[in-house]
Each structure stands twice: as C-alpha cells, then as structure tokens.
Amino acid sequence: ALDAVGATTGGNLTMTGAVVGSPGFMSPEQVRGEPVTAASDVFCLGSVLAFAATGRQPFGNVDSGIHALMYRIAQEEPDLVGLPEGARGLVTACLNKDPAKRPSVEELVAATHPVTDDGEPWLPGGLLARLGRDALQLLEVEAENAQPDATAPQQGPSAYGHPQAGPGPHTPPGPHTPPSPYASPSAYATPQGHGYAMNAQPWQGGYQAPVGYPLSGTRLRPIRGLATALLSMFGVWTVLTLLDMALNISLLDTYSGSEPDMLSTRASDIDSLGTGIGVAVCVLAVLWLIWFRTAYINSTVLSPGLPRFGSGYAVGAWFIPVAQLWLPKQIANDIWTASTPPAPGRHGRAVLHWWWTAFVVMFLMFPVHGASEIVSDSGRAERLGVIINIADDAIGLLAAVLAIGVVRRITKMQERRAAQPIGQAQQPAGVFGPPAA
C-alpha cells in the first residue's frame, strides 16, 4: 500500500478499462471478457484461500506466459495439492468454472461462521505493534499526497515484504503487551461515529462501474410500437417477395419451352408485382430508419459514453456511398453492446453478424441485377436475368428473416434494461472490438 500511494502522487492508480490486480487471481469470466458478478469475487476468494494455505497459486504464475495462465484459469482444474482437508471442499466449490454453481456470498458467510469472540486480540502482540506503526506511516503518506503541491516521499522496503526489516525495535509478544488499537476497526471511529476520512472526498482511482439505467433525468424513448410496425412491414415485404420468386420460377419454366405463349403474361404479372414491392420497400426503409435511430438514442441513455457516433449517423450512415457497407454495422454493434442487460453468460451476436452479411450481399446484387436488365436482348440473357432475380429474392428473404431477429432481440434487451431499478450498478456486456461471443 505504501509503495502504491507513494508512486501515484495523488493520481489514479489506473484508468478505466485497464485490468486491475494479479492475472493469477482472475476468474474465468474475467479472462473471457464476460460480465462480472459477485460469483467472480467468490472465484477470486477461492484462489486467495488456496494461495494462503499452500503458498502456491492454484493455476500457476506468469512464468509460463500470461496467455497460458489465463488459459489454465478458463479451462483447467486448479492445483490444490497440500490444501488442508478442512478447506478443500469450500475452496473447490469457489473455484468452479460455472459461476452459477459456485456458493453464494450468503452460503460462504454461513459456512465460515466465526467462533465465539472472547474479546482478546488474536494476533501476536509484536505483529499488532508493527501493524500500528505501518498504519501511521501510511496515514502520513496519504496526508502528504492530499496536499496540492505534495511530492512523493521516498519509501523504503515494506515491512510486509521483509518482516525482519520492519521499522522500529522488535517488541516480543507477551502477556503484558498492550493490544494495538489497529486490531479493531472501531479504532478508526470518530466521536460522531463516522469512519476515518483524510479529506472527506471519495477515492476516484481505479475502475468505476457504470451505473445502470435509468439515471436521474433520463428516459428511454418508446420502441415497442415502432418495432411492431416494422416487423409487420417485414412480413408484408416477405409475402410479396415470395410471390415474386414464385412468378420468376414460373417464368423460367416458360422460357424452357413448356408454355411459350405465357411469356408476356408472366412478365406482365412480375412487373405489376414489382411496383407493389417497390412501395413496400419505401415504407419499410422509412420505418427501419426511425426504429434504428430510436434504438441508437436509447443506447446512449442505457450506456452513456459507449456509443461512438452522434444520433444523426444512425440515419445518415445508410446513405454515405461506400461507407454504407460498414459504418451502419459499427453503429448496430454499439446499439447491441449498450442494450445487452448485465447477466452471467454470453450474449451471442451471431444473428447480428449474419444479418449484416446477408444485407451486404443483397446490396451488391443491385448492380448485378441492373446489368442483367441492360444485356437482356436475347432469350438466353433473359433467362439469366430471371435466375438472378430468383437469387436476389432468396437473399432478400434471408436478410429479412435475420433482420426480424435483430429487431426483436434489441427491442427486448432495451425493455429489460429499462426495467432496471434506479442506480443499479451494471457491468458492460461488451466493447467495440471482438464480440462477446
């Protein structure tokens, strides 16, 4: 503690997003980048107990490489050789890979119920005196760092790293050694009953857990009605596309020579249906942009600071040449990440990735379709154009089905987040880089 305080000179120990702590004591969900809950602390407790009892970290150290260490934490069983039998059951339960199978905090408290307190200090008197001296030294360093122009004092080796080099004369334990006031937390209490505070300001260092929705003065925009209208329009467009595919398949049979007199009739039916599909696409595009922008605005309320773009990009990105092939997907990633409710386990984005893949392929089919219309000056070229139309309809249907899944998932996740109590702490479910699953 003294080394850390002396090195910071009043600054933060770390910055948001950095890993705090020793890798050997991380939980599997921390290694995998999943949301961290109280079950993660239970796993870390198991690692600390095993280390305290055996002198070895249960998953080894970083000598073999941090990646190998993290792999062992996530995949392999701990090394508990030498662990006393009385602690083996508890430590093994704490180190379960599945967070849901670890004991809860309440169960740990019940399993480790303290023995009857006789009121006597349980640490040796010499150690209590040394703790008192080091605690006073730590408070002096904090007081110096609390001054605006304070400089970091030079710290010698800590008495905890080298007990034989502790400051001051050694006081042997004995029956008349007075107990140190630092053995009891009540020693820090002030006459008003409040705990000790150097400058009455909360510590601002380290990772600050984001606060869950709803924050004071924020409100989600209604999204259920928009989602219902959008899904209904997707259904209409899907039915029309299926009819268009059926007519094109029938027209392809006509080109094969089965019913040559029906060519003009089938082509006329396809043209008429194409007008209806064009109107449906326009309505669908408007509803999609409204829903997409609403979902993005809600994501900025759910996770302030996480979305990387302004709300205008949620609409404008779809109309930027070339960038429309990747920028809307980045915005969709931010919406998904910010909307994912905090809970153990992974929230896969497979439907989001496959939807975007199908959309890009469908988008790239437009120039192919246009080129087929231009060169369709012969029967063979016309048949090729019909085949391209059928493939275009198939890809569009796949993209529509996947888009329906994306709309349903994001809408449900935002509604679940909206139901969170005020001020409930939440962990982010993902970041801008690789997805959580």
Side-chain angles (χ1 to χ4, degrees):
L2 291 174
D3 294 339
V5 172
T8 59
T9 318
N12 290 347
L13 289 175
T14 182
M15 60 183 178
T16 303
V19 176
V20 180
S22 302
F25 296 95
M26 295 173 68
S27 62
E29 50 267 33
Q30 284 178 285
V31 171
R32 292 191 292 259
E34 298 174 358
V36 176
T37 64
S40 180
D41 292 331
V42 171
F43 188 94
C44 299
L45 172 64
S47 298
V48 172
L49 291 177
F51 178 70
T54 65
R56 302 187 316 277
Q57 297 183 34
F59 298 99
N61 51 39
V62 296
D63 291 345
S64 57
I66 188 170
H67 295 293
L69 173 59
M70 290 185 173
Y71 175 83
R72 292 194 295 269
I73 293 174
Q75 300 294 337
E76 297 184 359
E77 295 302 316
D79 177 13
L80 300 180
V81 176
L83 188 68
E85 290 298 326
R88 181 177 294 274
L90 180 65
V91 173
T92 302
C94 291
L95 294 179
N96 196 300
K97 303 295 184 185
D98 186 354
K101 295 182 180 180
R102 298 171 199 156
S104 64
V105 175
E106 292 76 12
E107 292 171 341
L108 286 174
V109 171
T112 57
H113 188 73
V115 297
T116 303
D117 187 6
D118 57 5
E120 295 295 328
W122 60 276
L123 292 175
L127 179 57
L128 290 175
R130 180 169 299 166
L131 288 174
R133 291 192 296 269
D134 285 350
L136 287 175
Q137 185 183 3
L138 177 60
L139 296 181
E140 292 172 357
V141 173
E142 288 181 345
E144 294 176 2
N145 283 341
Q147 302 300 324
D149 299 327
T151 58
Q154 298 296 324
Q155 298 297 332
S158 170
Y160 301 106
H162 305 279
Q164 71 276 10
H170 175 67
T171 306
H176 302 292
T177 303
S180 170
Y182 297 97
S184 173
S186 60
Y188 291 102
T190 63
Q192 289 77 17
H194 301 292
Y196 174 85
M198 177 59 66
N199 53 9
Q201 296 295 327
W203 169 250
Q204 298 298 322
Y207 172 73
Q208 305 295 322
V211 178
Y213 177 81
L215 298 175
S216 176
T218 59
R219 181 177 62 87
L220 285 183
R221 296 193 177 189
I223 196 173
R224 169 60 62 178
L226 281 173
T228 301
L230 180 59
L231 294 177
S232 300
M233 202 61 220
F234 266 120
V236 172
W237 183 75
T238 300
V239 171
L240 293 177
T241 304
L242 284 171
L243 291 175
D244 185 72
M245 179 183 288
L247 288 175
N248 276 284
I249 293 175
S250 177
L251 181 61
L252 187 63
D253 292 338
T254 304
Y255 277 117
S256 301
S258 59
E259 298 178 347
D261 56 328
M262 296 295 294
L263 276 174
S264 59
T265 303
R266 299 283 168 77
S268 178
D269 292 340
I270 291 174
D271 290 339
S272 300
L273 185 60
T275 302
I277 293 177
V279 174
V281 167
C282 292
V283 176
L284 184 62
V286 172
L287 288 175
W288 172 265
L289 293 175
I290 296 175
W291 174 86
F292 194 75
R293 183 174 184 271
T294 301
Y296 187 78
I297 293 175
N298 285 346
S299 71
T300 63
V301 176
L302 294 170
S303 300
L306 188 150
R308 296 168 284 178
F309 308 93
S311 60
Y313 272 95
V315 175
W318 295 91
F319 301 97
I320 302 176
V322 181
Q324 62 191 182
L325 296 178
W326 60 272
L327 187 55
K329 177 56 164 57
Q330 305 306 309
I331 298 175
N333 286 343
D334 289 354
I335 294 175
W336 189 285
T337 299
S339 303
T340 304
R346 295 183 174 228
H347 301 270
R349 301 189 205 180
V351 65
L352 186 67
H353 301 326
W354 282 112
W355 156 72
W356 184 253
T357 302
F359 170 78
V360 171
V361 174
M362 183 180 67
F363 186 88
L364 296 177
M365 285 294 292
F366 283 113
V368 177
H369 185 275
S372 68
E373 292 289 340
I374 295 175
V375 301
S376 59
D377 54 353
S378 64
R380 186 172 185 179
E382 289 177 352
R383 284 194 294 271
L384 178 61
V386 173
I387 294 175
I388 292 176
N389 287 340
I390 295 174
D392 188 23
D393 288 339
I395 296 172
L397 288 172
L398 176 61
V401 172
L402 294 171
I404 290 173
V406 170
V407 172
R408 286 173 55 86
R409 285 286 298 275
I410 290 179
T411 300
K412 287 185 177 181
M413 289 191 298
Q414 290 195 350
E415 289 179 338
R416 286 179 59 190
R417 288 289 301 272
Q420 294 290 337
I422 294 178
Q424 177 174 338
Q426 299 183 11
Q427 296 289 348
V431 291
F432 308 138

